[in-house]
Amino acid sequence: MFGLGGQEIGLLFLIILLLFGPSQIPKMARGLGQAIREFRKAQREITDEINREDTPAEKDTAVKPVEKTQA
């Protein structure tokens, strides 16, 4: 994970714990989870929109017969 070992991750967690306190960490984790969820939702919506544009509806691509009129 980003070239970090167990000691580096532990040190980062300890620094975060000292800076923000134990009561703020769950709030920050909850906010991060919501942000990730919103990002994935937006990504899924964009992917669905692109897929809809790539595959046109069958009724639009059907070839209509040309009617000849007698003059």
Side-chain angles (χ1 to χ4, degrees):
M1 184 171 125
F2 304 113
L4 297 177
Q7 289 180 339
E8 289 89 359
I9 293 174
L11 182 62
L12 287 174
F13 183 72
L14 181 64
I15 292 171
I16 291 171
L17 183 63
L18 290 174
L19 288 175
F20 297 106
S23 64
Q24 294 297 319
I25 291 177
K27 293 177 186 176
M28 291 175 15
R30 193 175 305 118
L32 181 62
Q34 288 175 348
I36 291 172
R37 194 169 28 256
E38 288 294 321
F39 178 77
R40 287 183 179 164
K41 179 182 173 186
Q43 184 180 21
R44 191 170 38 251
E45 289 173 356
I46 291 171
T47 303
D48 291 345
E49 184 67 27
I50 290 172
N51 288 339
R52 260 188 256 125
E53 289 178 5
D54 285 345
T55 56
E58 291 180 20
K59 63 181 179 181
D60 294 339
T61 60
V63 177
K64 297 179 182 176
V66 178
E67 294 180 19
K68 295 184 179 181
T69 58
Q70 294 178 348

